Amino acid sequence: MQTEGALAHYADPSYYSKTYARRKSDVAYYVKLAREHGGPVLEYGVGNGRVALEIARKGVEVTGIDWSRPMLEDLRTRLRREPGEVRTRVRSRFGDMRSVRLGSRFPLVIAPFNVVLHLYSRRDVERFLARVREHLRPSGRLIFDYSMPQPADLCRDPLQSFGAPPIRYPRTNQLVGYRERFEYDPLRQTLLVRMEFQPKDGAPGWSVPLSHRQFFPQEMLALLHYNGFEDIVCTADFTGRAPGPYTDSMVVSATTRRRR
């Protein structure tokens, strides 16, 4: 798995939580799915529990896998503030989603919010989907979402930065300027975003890389088909509606292929 940009964005859970605090539609979507399928649910990329905690609060057990130790530690901290019945419904496991084997099967396996975009090669995808097949019950479903490639981002000048309003950085309470640079590798189909922070008090700035594999819709359908999945359904932006040219997040649902 690619190193630069794979983990850095998840090294500071306080910043991550503040940045995505208003992202609610996907949480509601996965909570609804969890209640419909029943537990336990397996979540790849559980992080600090943005989705898993809400599922557990609704009475469904969740087992989460993640490769970021800071995010999992923050999840444990958050769980300590939850009622006992919620704490008992959440289990976490540190590890690589391409290789972790739990020895259990689940009616629902989810990978929310671009988790699959950290699968940078065909082999990464194959290994991940093999683990999913091992963890799904015969009638179970894999459901995940990923951001659609945006042509405007893929053709940006990597030497040009794009600014946004200053933010109050949560860990230090500094007021910092924020800019982004985009660098697309068309051969590897990887978009590297460099998030640049510059404190307004003159303190040294820093940069955080985030790398996402860019999966085009027909490519994703083929990868699922040739790795043992069927009944593949794609919808747009957690609405249940068919995707269109302005879809932002593609939501994909699939089952393992049944033996004929």
Side-chain angles (χ1 to χ4, degrees), residues 134-255:
E134 291 174 359
H135 290 126
L136 269 179
R137 292 179 185 173
S139 59
R141 277 204 169 263
L142 164 66
I143 302 179
F144 62 95
D145 65 273
Y146 68 96
S147 296
M148 288 277 284
Q150 300 299 320
D153 292 338
L154 307 188
C155 65
R156 293 186 191 273
D157 181 350
L159 299 180
Q160 182 180 1
S161 63
F162 299 85
I167 63 172
R168 183 69 63 178
Y169 200 82
R171 183 166 49 84
T172 62
N173 203 37
Q174 293 171 291
L175 186 65
V176 301
Y178 178 75
R179 304 187 71 84
E180 292 180 342
R181 297 179 186 272
F182 297 78
E183 183 176 347
Y184 180 57
D185 182 337
L187 297 180
R188 300 179 66 236
Q189 290 182 219
T190 303
L191 180 64
L192 173 63
V193 181
R194 295 193 183 278
M195 295 167 277
E196 300 174 343
F197 301 87
Q198 182 57 60
K200 294 296 185 180
D201 61 7
W206 68 95
S207 176
V208 177
L210 173 64
S211 291
H212 276 167
R213 174 73 152 79
Q214 302 297 290
F215 288 105
F216 294 89
Q218 294 302 314
E219 174 187 18
M220 181 61 77
L221 292 176
L223 286 166
L224 288 165
H225 173 79
Y226 289 110
N227 281 278
F229 288 83
E230 65 179 4
D231 192 16
I232 304 168
V233 179
C234 297
T235 57
D237 299 316
F238 312 103
T239 63
R241 295 193 294 267
Y246 302 107
T247 296
D248 181 39
S249 292
M250 183 75 79
V251 182
V252 183
S253 171
T255 61

Side-chain angles (χ1 to χ4, degrees), residues 63 71 180 245:
T63 296
M71 292 290 273
E180 292 180 342

Side-chain angles (χ1 to χ4, degrees), residues 32 41 43 57 62 66 89 116 119 122 143 147 150 166 171-172 174 177 186 221 241 248 254:
K32 182 174 183 291
V41 173
E43 180 182 355
R57 289 167 185 154
V62 187
D66 207 284
R89 295 185 193 121
V116 299
L119 300 167
R122 179 176 57 83
I143 302 179
S147 296
Q150 300 299 320
R171 183 166 49 84
T172 62
Q174 293 171 291
L221 292 176
R241 295 193 294 267
D248 181 39

Side-chain angles (χ1 to χ4, degrees), residues 43-185:
E43 180 182 355
Y44 284 102
V46 68
N48 62 350
R50 190 178 66 90
V51 174
L53 286 175
E54 290 297 328
I55 291 176
R57 289 167 185 154
K58 295 299 187 292
V60 180
E61 294 183 0
V62 187
T63 296
I65 296 173
D66 207 284
W67 210 11
S68 169
R69 292 189 186 278
M71 292 290 273
L72 288 176
E73 181 58 38
D74 194 53
L75 171 59
R76 287 189 282 271
T77 299
R78 290 168 177 260
L79 278 171
R80 287 194 286 270
R81 299 195 290 263
E82 294 289 332
E85 62 269 21
V86 174
R87 291 198 300 271
T88 61
R89 295 185 193 121
V90 180
R91 299 178 181 177
S92 61
R93 170 82 175 267
F94 171 78
D96 185 337
M97 61 182 169
R98 301 168 302 173
S99 58
V100 171
R101 288 181 163 95
L102 299 175
S104 301
R105 290 185 178 268
F106 301 80
L108 178 64
V109 174
I110 62 175
F113 196 17
N114 293 333
V115 167
V116 299
L117 300 190
H118 290 293
L119 300 167
Y120 300 108
S121 69
R122 179 176 57 83
R123 181 58 177 151
D124 288 341
V125 175
E126 291 171 346
R127 292 176 64 193
F128 168 67
L129 292 178
R131 302 291 81 72
V132 171
R133 292 196 307 271
E134 291 174 359
H135 290 126
L136 269 179
R137 292 179 185 173
S139 59
R141 277 204 169 263
L142 164 66
I143 302 179
F144 62 95
D145 65 273
Y146 68 96
S147 296
M148 288 277 284
Q150 300 299 320
D153 292 338
L154 307 188
C155 65
R156 293 186 191 273
D157 181 350
L159 299 180
Q160 182 180 1
S161 63
F162 299 85
I167 63 172
R168 183 69 63 178
Y169 200 82
R171 183 166 49 84
T172 62
N173 203 37
Q174 293 171 291
L175 186 65
V176 301
Y178 178 75
R179 304 187 71 84
E180 292 180 342
R181 297 179 186 272
F182 297 78
E183 183 176 347
Y184 180 57
D185 182 337

Side-chain angles (χ1 to χ4, degrees), residues 11-26:
D12 187 343
S14 64
Y15 173 74
Y16 183 92
S17 297
K18 178 177 180 177
T19 301
Y20 303 113
R22 295 183 180 179
R23 186 181 170 91
K24 300 290 188 181
S25 58
D26 63 335

